[in-house]
Amino acid sequence: MVAELKMVCAECLCKIANFFEEVKPIDVVGAVRQRIKFLNLQVQLDRLSDSVKTKYKDVFSEIPHIDDLPTDVYCRIKLKDATKTVTTRSYSTPRKYKDTWAILIQQHLDAGRI
């Protein structure tokens, strides 16, 4: 059984050997150069991040504990009247499109888009 398996594998290898791509050797110098560029860009991004955080330190500072927050600052958000009805406008649609529009709107409702 092992001999037959080796023979079948050898035949398959002969058939597909022409389709193999030649593998290029590893370019060590290019890989090192690419890594150096990456590390250089990382350092530049870190410097830029630090400068932005320093410039906008009031935004990026840590959030204080709730006990340290001021208690003399109050605000009021005035909401719209929830009982007020929304005025809508109805636009006429030709009768020949009414059924098609009803199907389309129902599909959007079923899909959860409306």
Side-chain angles (χ1 to χ4, degrees), residues 24 42 61 75 103-104:
K24 297 179 182 178
Q42 189 67 41
S61 63
C75 66
I103 293 170
L104 183 63

Side-chain angles (χ1 to χ4, degrees), residues 46-84:
D46 289 341
R47 285 184 195 148
L48 182 61
S49 173
D50 292 340
S51 68
V52 168
K53 288 178 184 176
T54 304
K55 184 176 179 181
Y56 301 105
K57 64 183 173 188
D58 57 330
V59 175
F60 290 105
S61 63
E62 291 187 18
I63 299 174
H65 190 269
I66 192 166
D67 295 335
D68 299 332
L69 291 174
T71 57
D72 60 340
V73 179
Y74 299 101
C75 66
R76 179 172 180 232
I77 300 172
K78 188 174 180 182
L79 301 175
K80 293 183 179 180
D81 185 14
T83 59
K84 186 177 178 183

